Every structure is written in structure tokens, then in C-alpha cells.
Amino acid sequence: MLVKDLSKERVKDFKRLLKQAGLDGYFTADPVEMRYLSGVELSDGEAVLLVTPRKACFFTRTMIVPKMAPAAGFISVKDVTSGTLAQAALQFARQAGLKTVGFAQDKVNFLLGRQLAQEGFVSAGAILDEMRLVKYPDEIAKLKTACRIASEAFKEVKPQIKTGMTEHAVAALLAGAMLRRGAEAIPFNIVCFGENTADAHHTASKTRKLKKNEAVLMDFGCQYEGYNSDMTRSWWHGDNPPAQYEQIWNITHAAYQACAKSLRAGLPCREADAAARRIIEAAGFGKEFFHSTGHGVGLQVHDGPLLGPRSVQELEANSPVTVEPGIYFAGKWGVRLEDTFLVTAGGSKKLTKN
């Protein structure tokens, strides 16, 4: 079912937030922020966007103007023929008499950040970051599709994984299965055998072959219309899983279940992390769980919020997050289990399956 693109509504809502925050405008050159607000897929350097409480305007080049068509009804476009795009936006801001314009310091390079600061622009990236936490219906629909594609692809590929295959070959099989189902990109595709399963972000090897009776870990996702999925599966390849592997898998699964059951709107993110972490620590493997329990998913694979022990955020309804506890023994093997969930008022819905 087609879902109406709500970029226009996002721009309208963002204008309202700017006004409430006492900002005259917001500047961004970040492709992710621009896609969120406009629905237009852009690369670095192709455009900058200036949004005020009354108007939104792209500054771009002649060859990029046709790409702006999806946003033509609610974002104006200025074709910049001389100077940089940022200079054109700054000149516009001066002529419009904008006094307090925000930008995200962590999403611009040093030179541009210094230039914006010299113009009196202020750090205000949090206003858009916070808005992006809660997904609109069109975003949720795209996330669900990305999750379905990845889940179905794994269901197809797992029975094809045989002793003697390389990590790279399995990754290629999985990528092909996701692309055939409509994925537009494969942002990450981690396939690990044996000792490599203890490497949390391993790069699939073209030479490491799967042996009979060893650990397998696959962490993968796809992108659909800009939105990402993220899931991890761990299992023992063979008929004789060691008792310790089964023990660690069961502990990790118990931690995963505890965190998943805790998810609900209003829950502090650090408590979601603690739900998983306390089980692993109680089993004596706290040092072997060295990353956060989860993170948000959206236009970026690792989006806000962070489900970690030092997080200060709370979960919100219609916010997608991962749950991914893991236990790793360097040089031996590791276990990680992960799914993407959509937080609801009273709980959550699992989006990745199989």
C-alpha cells in the first residue's frame, strides 16, 4: 500500500518548532537532514537548505535543480551561479534580516562551521535531532518495508549456507536477496565465522571459509527509500554446539528478551539498557558485553536515541530502536542477537523477524 509522503508536513511542523524556539531560521548542508525535511535524496555538496518560520529554500546548482521536483510545492529553489552555496544562503539570510539562525555543529566541516559562527549562527542541531526521533506514518511504512526485506532475505539465504563457503560469498548471497526484494542499498552486511564472530564489526573475508561445527554471526540490513533495517542472527553451524556456546547464547537471548519486554514510551533509555545488562553481568560476563544495548534506526542505521548506560533520553511512541546485547570472547567466538522494534505507548512491535 502506498503511503503519502509527509515531507511537507515535516517542514510545516519544523517551522513551528523554530518559532517556538525563538529562532529566525535553520541552516543545513547535511544530506540526511535535507532528505528528512524535503524527501529529496542528495549527496554532499549538492545543496544547502535554509528554513525560516515562514519559508524554506534550497540553494543549489543548475544541474541539481531537477532533483528538487518532489519538494517544489513547499520548498523554493534558488539556482546559484556564482560563489558557494553557503555564501548564497548567508547572503539571503542577511538580506532577510535573520538575526538568530541555528545549525548543527556536528554536521558541518570545520571551515563551514567557523564561517557560520562568524555570521552569528548558533548551535541548534538538537531541535531537528529531537524531531527526528519520532517517526511520521510514511517513515514507519518505509522502515517496515526495509525490515521485511531483510527478514525475508535471511529466511531465503540461511538454508543455503554450507560448509566451505566464504564469508564474502554468504554476504553476496544475502545482498542479492535483499536487492531482488526492492532494497535500494545495502549499507552494511557483516558475516562472521568462527573466531571472527568475536569481532563486533568484522568485514567479511574473501578467504575465510566456513568449517563444520563453528559459530556464525550475521549482522545486516538494507535501505528502502532512505530508511534502514538492522538485525543480527547468531547460531552454531553443525551438530555439536559446545555447552559453553549454548550457555552464552541462552544468556544473550534472556538479556535480549528482558530488554525487548521493557520497551515502552516514557522508559528511560538507560533502563532499557540496564534490563539487558544486568542479566549478562549477573552471569559474570559484564566485561564481555562492551557496547550499548541498542540504538535508533531511521535515515541512518545508527540514529537516535542510544540505549546505553549513560543515555539521558526517554523512549517515545513511534520511535524505532534496536535491541542487540552481545557477549564476545576474543579469538574464540561471540554471540549477538538483534531485532528492530517500534516503540508504542504500552510496549513495542517487532519489525524484523525470521
Side-chain angles (χ1 to χ4, degrees):
M1 181 179 70
L2 293 176
V3 177
K4 179 183 177 183
D5 185 277
L6 296 176
S7 298
K8 182 177 180 179
E9 295 302 315
R10 283 189 280 279
V11 170
K12 183 178 178 181
D13 291 342
F14 187 54
K15 289 178 178 178
R16 187 180 304 114
L17 288 175
L18 290 176
K19 188 174 182 179
Q20 292 173 354
L23 291 171
D24 295 330
Y26 185 85
F27 169 94
T28 182
D30 179 58
V32 171
E33 291 191 332
M34 289 189 286
R35 185 165 191 173
Y36 174 72
L37 290 170
S38 69
V40 178
E41 181 181 3
L42 295 162
S43 298
D44 282 323
E46 288 189 331
V48 301
L49 177 63
L50 183 63
V51 183
T52 77
R54 298 183 60 185
K55 186 175 184 178
C57 184
F58 268 128
F59 298 83
T60 190
R61 305 295 186 189
T62 302
M63 66 183 296
I64 306 300
V65 170
K67 292 179 70 171
M68 306 302 182
F74 55 97
I75 299 179
S76 63
V77 178
K78 292 192 179 295
D79 187 351
V80 179
T81 57
S82 62
T84 69
L85 301 180
Q87 287 170 343
L90 290 170
Q91 183 178 4
F92 179 92
R94 292 189 211 105
Q95 292 175 344
L98 305 182
K99 302 296 184 183
T100 309
V101 180
F103 73 103
Q105 288 181 313
D106 62 334
K107 295 181 176 67
V108 297
N109 61 45
F110 174 78
L111 292 177
L112 179 55
R114 185 170 65 178
Q115 183 181 13
L116 297 175
Q118 289 173 344
E119 288 287 333
F121 285 25
V122 299
S123 177
I127 189 172
L128 191 52
D129 287 344
E130 290 177 5
M131 179 178 173
R132 287 180 53 215
L133 293 176
V134 178
K135 302 304 190 270
Y136 286 71
D138 60 327
E139 297 182 279
I140 293 172
K142 293 170 185 176
L143 279 160
K144 286 182 176 179
T145 300
C147 289
R148 176 183 57 77
I149 289 172
S151 299
E152 291 180 355
F154 177 72
K155 185 178 181 180
E156 173 192 324
V157 168
K158 187 182 178 185
Q160 300 177 48
I161 300 173
K162 307 296 181 183
T163 302
M165 295 179 70
T166 66
E167 293 174 341
H168 185 268
V170 174
L173 272 180
L174 185 60
M178 289 190 282
L179 291 169
R180 286 196 305 274
R181 286 172 168 79
E184 65 185 18
I186 311 299
F188 65 104
N189 191 358
I190 301 170
V191 176
C192 317
F193 300 155
E195 71 287 349
N196 293 337
T197 61
D199 181 358
H201 278 179
H202 176 68
T203 299
S205 168
K206 293 182 179 180
T207 58
R208 177 58 164 90
K209 294 182 179 180
L210 180 60
K211 303 172 186 176
K212 187 176 182 180
N213 284 312
E214 68 176 356
V216 177
L217 186 153
M218 295 175 62
D219 184 345
F220 55 94
C222 70
Q223 190 177 97
Y224 178 79
E225 294 190 9
Y227 288 81
N228 296 279
S229 57
D230 193 359
M231 59 188 289
T232 303
R233 297 293 182 263
S234 296
W235 71 95
W236 189 263
H237 174 73
D239 301 325
N240 301 301
Q244 188 188 27
Y245 184 88
E246 291 188 316
Q247 175 199 23
I248 296 302
W249 196 99
N250 288 333
I251 293 169
T252 305
H253 188 246
Y256 159 90
Q257 287 185 310
C259 181
K261 289 178 181 178
S262 76
L263 299 179
R264 58 173 173 76
L267 179 74
C269 292
R270 63 180 179 274
E271 291 187 17
D273 174 85
R277 197 169 299 277
R278 68 169 63 98
I279 289 176
I280 293 176
E281 290 179 343
F285 300 104
K287 291 182 179 179
E288 287 72 32
F289 179 23
F290 46 73
H291 55 72
S292 62
T293 299
H295 56 82
V297 187
L299 284 167
Q300 295 175 293
V301 176
H302 288 87
D303 223 332
L306 179 69
L307 276 60
R310 290 177 292 278
S311 177
V312 297
Q313 294 173 297
E314 290 186 354
L315 294 175
E316 298 185 64
N318 293 324
S319 178
V321 297
T322 67
V323 172
E324 51 176 309
I327 299 174
Y328 314 88
F329 301 98
K332 190 175 181 181
W333 44 255
V335 174
R336 180 164 69 253
L337 303 173
E338 175 186 23
D339 282 299
T340 298
F341 293 82
L342 184 67
V343 177
T344 64
S348 67
K349 295 179 181 178
K350 187 166 74 168
L351 301 184
T352 44
K353 301 176 183 179
N354 299 325

